[in-house]
Amino acid sequence: MSDTIEVATIPITVDFSGGLEMLFDNQRRHSVSLPAVDSGGKPADIAFLISHLCEKLMKDPRAELFVLDSHIRPGILVLINDADWELEGEEDYKIQPRDNILFVSTLHGG
Amino acid sequence: MAPALCVNCKTERALIKRPKNHAKLCKACFITVFEDEVHHTVTSSQLFFPGENVAIGASGGKDSTVLASVLKTLNERHGYGLELVLLSIDEGIKGYRDDSLETVKRNAVQYDMPLKVVGYDELYGWTMDQVVETIGKKGNCTYCGVFRRQALDRGAKMLGIKHVVTGHNADDVAETVLMNLLRGDLARLARSTSIVTGDSRSEVKRSKPLKYSYEKEIVLYAHHKKLDYFSTECIYSPEAFRGSARGLIKQLERVRPTAILDIVRSGEDMARLVPGESSSSCACKGQTATTVAPAEDDIGGCGSQNGRTPGNEMATMDKQLRENEAHEALQIDMAKAMSESKNGNEKQKELPIRSGNSASKGGTRQVRGNCKRCGYMSSQDICQACMLLEGLNKNRAQIQI
């Protein structure tokens, strides 16, 4: 038995649009290997994904444009495989391999 | 969790949960319902006449892109007989408008519509970059708002078009209702709820066909139809007060999604309490006439929307106050009399109108006329834009010396 703990990850794609790209390297699509469980050992859900994105992927210091009070900022829509996250359990949705999660802001103008 | 099925077709997987009624719809049914509702707004408010030339105020953003796409679809589907043109304003802000204008140019090809771009530089001899260079970032929104308000009208006139549609959505209207409520400005609140603005004296009519469309659904429509739009934020100072109102609306929506349309409807109901204003509710609720409010008082905001200025507000407010006094002195309840003749016994009461900012500014009676310099509709001798330009040009002269 090896002492190194293999951290299982879930491969997913995460998209940002509606102005959120600018917080993530001005890049729309990101391939993310999300740890399968959070620090408490619970299976990865959307809430965990959001904190993971803030910690690991976002280089812009303006995190408040993405999260407010550790929840997604009101006015940002979340689509899980093209479906409104309200149909999928919102923050509690358990991430599946090859899921596509889209964050799209409604807050920006033309 | 088993995927929910669309409540409409009952075969496809639901992808959208509608904020107005929580209905779960599939992609195809959502797109149809969204378009049908805009069609309903258009027909019940009698926004267009066959053969009308209509300019779409296009910024390249989500709202105006969806408006162009939906109007093109409905025009073909229902035979509106409209000639649609894209009309864009170039404020002259490098790194902001130049990118979104590229989007509008692509839209013109995608929707097969002619495109007219009017620049602040050609209209006023100043780009916003030059204005900011001269006066600084503080207060530049006032200039931009005053200039933009006229620019759409002037662009339309250049094209010989008398009707401009803008992409203002239900969230924008709710936001403006809330802002005016917080300012104690019931007169402006009343006007901001109108679907049509521009009175008989103004040559260009304005309307908002997406007035009842949720911003969320506009973004989802653009996403599912894969529309090409551009999101940006003005690089100059944002409007703090509007931003707060916007944040509040979005937080309310999170807790109670129907709140947005409820605020719009409350705004319309309050409008009916204001002397000289009537509501512009959808005809299916009993009011058939579309309301016409002065174009100068269109709702404000940055991005693709119009700004607002304290000067205009005070002038309009003064006029309103005098009208109120006249109403009270004569003890004639015109609104009531009119509403009774139109709507039977529907009870209406008038409330005294009070300005949140400056109720007591005396002065001569203002009559809606034209600017003596540029000829644009104005309640003063010299319109706002010309006043601002005069100040700017003096500054430029000084700098050159």
Side-chain angles (χ1 to χ4, degrees), chain B residues 26-303:
Chain B
C26 70
K27 189 202 283 194
C29 289
F30 164 70
I31 287 172
T32 308
V33 165
F34 183 90
E35 289 164 353
D36 285 352
E37 288 185 357
V38 178
H39 175 61
H40 177 81
T41 304
V42 165
T43 49
S44 62
S45 303
Q46 298 165 340
L47 282 190
F48 306 121
F49 59 82
E52 188 172 13
N53 290 307
V54 176
I56 300 168
S59 65
K62 57 184 175 8
D63 301 302
S64 56
T65 303
V66 166
L67 180 62
S69 171
V70 170
L71 282 186
K72 180 183 169 64
T73 303
L74 295 178
N75 193 30
E76 287 165 5
R77 183 181 300 158
H78 299 286
Y80 290 170
L82 302 180
E83 293 294 329
L84 298 168
V85 175
L86 297 174
L87 175 58
S88 286
I89 306 302
D90 184 358
E91 298 92 346
I93 305 176
K94 281 238 155 34
Y96 166 59
R97 189 52 85 210
D98 36 6
D99 290 337
S100 48
L101 279 176
E102 288 307 311
T103 311
V104 181
K105 285 176 193 163
R106 289 198 302 275
N107 290 159
V109 177
Q110 289 153 359
Y111 304 138
D112 190 24
M113 290 179 195
L115 165 66
K116 169 83 180 169
V117 181
V118 210
Y120 281 8
D121 50 353
E122 81 179 278
L123 287 178
Y124 307 109
W126 288 81
T127 65
M128 276 311 292
D129 283 339
Q130 292 168 333
V131 170
V132 171
E133 218 172 89
T134 309
I135 64 153
K137 283 193 182 181
K138 201 163 176 250
N140 81 84
C141 285
T142 304
Y143 288 77
C144 199
V146 170
F147 289 168
R148 188 186 296 108
R149 189 178 302 137
Q150 290 196 6
L152 275 176
D153 283 13
R154 290 178 184 218
K157 268 191 219 169
M158 286 179 196
L159 296 166
I161 292 178
K162 293 194 166 66
H163 190 171
V164 176
V165 289
T166 56
H168 292 103
N169 58 45
D171 296 51
D172 295 328
V173 177
E175 192 178 291
T176 306
V177 167
L178 201 61
M179 283 168 72
N180 287 314
L181 192 66
L182 296 174
R183 285 190 189 109
D185 192 341
L186 199 51
R188 186 174 280 272
L189 184 154
R191 280 188 295 277
S192 69
T193 60
S194 302
I195 191 161
V196 177
T197 54
D199 61 16
S200 51
R201 285 209 33 87
S202 76
E203 293 161 64
V204 179
K205 161 179 159 181
R206 291 272 189 95
S207 67
K208 329 186 245 284
L210 300 182
K211 182 191 162 188
Y212 296 107
S213 303
Y214 273 79
E215 195 156 54
K216 172 179 173 177
E217 297 202 337
I218 287 172
V219 170
L220 290 177
Y221 183 88
H223 170 73
H224 289 299
K225 289 264 290 188
K226 298 191 167 50
L227 302 184
D228 180 9
Y229 72 93
F230 189 82
S231 308
T232 185
E233 218 51 65
C234 181
I235 56 174
Y236 297 129
S237 54
E239 274 186 294
F241 189 45
R242 179 169 286 277
S244 308
R246 165 149 295 230
L248 188 53
I249 293 273
K250 295 298 179 192
Q251 282 178 5
L252 287 171
E253 182 186 24
R254 200 75 187 90
V255 184
R256 189 164 151 341
T258 54
I260 290 178
L261 273 187
D262 289 342
I263 293 172
V264 173
R265 301 241 151 84
S266 298
E268 290 172 351
D269 288 345
M270 283 188 269
R272 273 184 281 150
L273 302 173
V274 179
E277 300 289 338
S278 51
S279 165
S280 65
S281 303
C282 170
C284 62
K285 288 192 291 169
Q287 292 93 25
T288 44
T290 53
T291 312
V292 168
E296 279 189 88
D297 301 308
D298 208 347
I299 63 177
C302 261

Side-chain angles (χ1 to χ4, degrees), chain A residues 5 10 24 41 43-45 57-58 64 74 81 92 95 101 105 107:
Chain A
I5 300 162
I10 309 173
F24 297 91
D45 56 13
L57 198 61
M58 194 191 304
E64 75 280 2
N81 301 321
D92 297 331
I95 310 262
I101 316 290
S105 176
L107 300 168

Side-chain angles (χ1 to χ4, degrees), chain A residues 82 84 86 88 108-110, chain B residues 13 15 97 216 223 232-233:
Chain A
D82 241 11
D84 191 334
E86 290 179 39
E88 303 284 344
H108 299 274
Chain B
R13 178 182 165 217
L15 292 181
R97 189 52 85 210
K216 172 179 173 177
H223 170 73
T232 185
E233 218 51 65

Side-chain angles (χ1 to χ4, degrees), chain B residues 293-344:
Chain B
E296 279 189 88
D297 301 308
D298 208 347
I299 63 177
C302 261
S304 58
Q305 280 109 59
N306 303 302
R308 58 194 304 284
T309 57
N312 253 339
E313 183 184 10
M314 289 194 312
T316 325
M317 184 56 62
D318 278 355
K319 189 160 166 269
Q320 199 72 48
L321 278 168
R322 275 189 298 276
E323 278 171 13
N324 280 350
E325 283 161 18
H327 271 269
E328 281 163 13
L330 293 168
Q331 293 287 307
I332 296 173
D333 192 338
M334 286 303 288
K336 189 175 176 186
M338 282 167 70
S339 96
E340 278 177 358
S341 63
K342 264 192 206 161
N343 301 333

